[in-house]
PDB file of all heavy atoms in Angstrom:
ATOM      1  N   THR A  19      22.616 -25.933  12.022  1.00 92.00           N
ATOM      2  CA  THR A  19      22.222 -25.741  10.625  1.00 92.00           C
ATOM      3  C   THR A  19      22.336 -24.297  10.159  1.00 92.00           C
ATOM      4  O   THR A  19      22.558 -24.047   8.978  1.00 92.00           O
ATOM      5  CB  THR A  19      20.772 -26.207  10.380  1.00 92.00           C
ATOM      6  OG1 THR A  19      19.959 -25.728  11.447  1.00 92.00           O
ATOM      7  CG2 THR A  19      20.670 -27.701  10.293  1.00 92.00           C
ATOM      8  N   ASP A  39      24.760 -19.191  23.390  1.00 82.00           N
ATOM      9  CA  ASP A  39      23.987 -18.547  24.475  1.00 82.00           C
ATOM     10  C   ASP A  39      22.949 -17.601  23.881  1.00 82.00           C
ATOM     11  O   ASP A  39      21.805 -17.535  24.325  1.00 82.00           O
ATOM     12  CB  ASP A  39      24.916 -17.726  25.381  1.00 82.00           C
ATOM     13  CG  ASP A  39      25.851 -18.628  26.166  1.00 82.00           C
ATOM     14  OD1 ASP A  39      25.557 -19.837  26.250  1.00 82.00           O
ATOM     15  OD2 ASP A  39      26.874 -18.121  26.668  1.00 82.00           O
ATOM     16  N   GLN A 171      -5.081   2.473  16.571  1.00 95.00           N
ATOM     17  CA  GLN A 171      -5.584   1.140  16.226  1.00 95.00           C
ATOM     18  C   GLN A 171      -4.920   0.150  17.184  1.00 95.00           C
ATOM     19  O   GLN A 171      -3.937  -0.505  16.851  1.00 95.00           O
ATOM     20  CB  GLN A 171      -5.236   0.822  14.766  1.00 95.00           C
ATOM     21  CG  GLN A 171      -5.662  -0.560  14.295  1.00 95.00           C
ATOM     22  CD  GLN A 171      -7.105  -0.622  13.839  1.00 95.00           C
ATOM     23  OE1 GLN A 171      -7.470  -0.086  12.800  1.00 95.00           O
ATOM     24  NE2 GLN A 171      -7.940  -1.282  14.625  1.00 95.00           N
ATOM     25  N   LEU A 197      16.680  -8.783  40.685  1.00 84.00           N
ATOM     26  CA  LEU A 197      17.973  -9.109  41.283  1.00 84.00           C
ATOM     27  C   LEU A 197      17.984  -8.723  42.758  1.00 84.00           C
ATOM     28  O   LEU A 197      18.474  -9.454  43.617  1.00 84.00           O
ATOM     29  CB  LEU A 197      19.056  -8.324  40.531  1.00 84.00           C
ATOM     30  CG  LEU A 197      20.395  -8.991  40.292  1.00 84.00           C
ATOM     31  CD1 LEU A 197      20.212 -10.220  39.428  1.00 84.00           C
ATOM     32  CD2 LEU A 197      21.351  -8.010  39.616  1.00 84.00           C
ATOM     33  N   HIS A 221      -3.946  -5.095  26.109  1.00 97.00           N
ATOM     34  CA  HIS A 221      -4.018  -4.212  24.937  1.00 97.00           C
ATOM     35  C   HIS A 221      -4.897  -4.790  23.829  1.00 97.00           C
ATOM     36  O   HIS A 221      -5.143  -4.119  22.828  1.00 97.00           O
ATOM     37  CB  HIS A 221      -2.616  -3.968  24.354  1.00 97.00           C
ATOM     38  CG  HIS A 221      -1.738  -3.132  25.232  1.00 97.00           C
ATOM     39  ND1 HIS A 221      -0.888  -3.684  26.155  1.00 97.00           N
ATOM     40  CD2 HIS A 221      -1.601  -1.785  25.347  1.00 97.00           C
ATOM     41  CE1 HIS A 221      -0.252  -2.704  26.798  1.00 97.00           C
ATOM     42  NE2 HIS A 221      -0.664  -1.552  26.331  1.00 97.00           N
ATOM     43  N   GLY A 247      -7.673   5.537  26.481  1.00 91.00           N
ATOM     44  CA  GLY A 247      -8.863   6.086  25.846  1.00 91.00           C
ATOM     45  C   GLY A 247      -8.805   7.583  25.589  1.00 91.00           C
ATOM     46  O   GLY A 247      -8.162   8.341  26.301  1.00 91.00           O
ATOM     47  N   TRP A 265      -3.063  -1.727  42.975  1.00 97.00           N
ATOM     48  CA  TRP A 265      -2.238  -0.515  43.154  1.00 97.00           C
ATOM     49  C   TRP A 265      -3.037   0.729  42.798  1.00 97.00           C
ATOM     50  O   TRP A 265      -2.906   1.761  43.458  1.00 97.00           O
ATOM     51  CB  TRP A 265      -0.958  -0.599  42.315  1.00 97.00           C
ATOM     52  CG  TRP A 265      -0.253  -1.914  42.432  1.00 97.00           C
ATOM     53  CD1 TRP A 265       0.040  -2.790  41.428  1.00 97.00           C
ATOM     54  CD2 TRP A 265       0.242  -2.538  43.636  1.00 97.00           C
ATOM     55  NE1 TRP A 265       0.675  -3.903  41.921  1.00 97.00           N
ATOM     56  CE2 TRP A 265       0.810  -3.775  43.271  1.00 97.00           C
ATOM     57  CE3 TRP A 265       0.242  -2.172  44.981  1.00 97.00           C
ATOM     58  CZ2 TRP A 265       1.376  -4.655  44.193  1.00 97.00           C
ATOM     59  CZ3 TRP A 265       0.804  -3.042  45.908  1.00 97.00           C
ATOM     60  CH2 TRP A 265       1.367  -4.258  45.519  1.00 97.00           C
ATOM     61  N   VAL A 278     -17.051   0.877  29.559  1.00 85.00           N
ATOM     62  CA  VAL A 278     -16.986   1.464  28.220  1.00 85.00           C
ATOM     63  C   VAL A 278     -15.685   1.059  27.540  1.00 85.00           C
ATOM     64  O   VAL A 278     -14.701   0.729  28.189  1.00 85.00           O
ATOM     65  CB  VAL A 278     -17.073   3.006  28.271  1.00 85.00           C
ATOM     66  CG1 VAL A 278     -18.454   3.455  28.681  1.00 85.00           C
ATOM     67  CG2 VAL A 278     -16.023   3.570  29.216  1.00 85.00           C
ATOM     68  N   TRP A 296       8.361   3.010  12.069  1.00 95.00           N
ATOM     69  CA  TRP A 296       9.140   2.795  13.288  1.00 95.00           C
ATOM     70  C   TRP A 296      10.192   3.892  13.491  1.00 95.00           C
ATOM     71  O   TRP A 296      10.289   4.491  14.559  1.00 95.00           O
ATOM     72  CB  TRP A 296       9.819   1.419  13.208  1.00 95.00           C
ATOM     73  CG  TRP A 296      10.633   1.087  14.404  1.00 95.00           C
ATOM     74  CD1 TRP A 296      10.179   0.523  15.569  1.00 95.00           C
ATOM     75  CD2 TRP A 296      12.048   1.298  14.586  1.00 95.00           C
ATOM     76  NE1 TRP A 296      11.214   0.371  16.450  1.00 95.00           N
ATOM     77  CE2 TRP A 296      12.373   0.840  15.877  1.00 95.00           C
ATOM     78  CE3 TRP A 296      13.053   1.822  13.784  1.00 95.00           C
ATOM     79  CZ2 TRP A 296      13.672   0.890  16.377  1.00 95.00           C
ATOM     80  CZ3 TRP A 296      14.348   1.885  14.288  1.00 95.00           C
ATOM     81  CH2 TRP A 296      14.646   1.411  15.573  1.00 95.00           C
TER      82      TRP A 296
END
Side-chain angles (χ1 to χ4, degrees):
T19 44
D39 292 343
Q171 178 84 71
L197 217 62
H221 291 92
W265 313 121
V278 290
W296 180 85

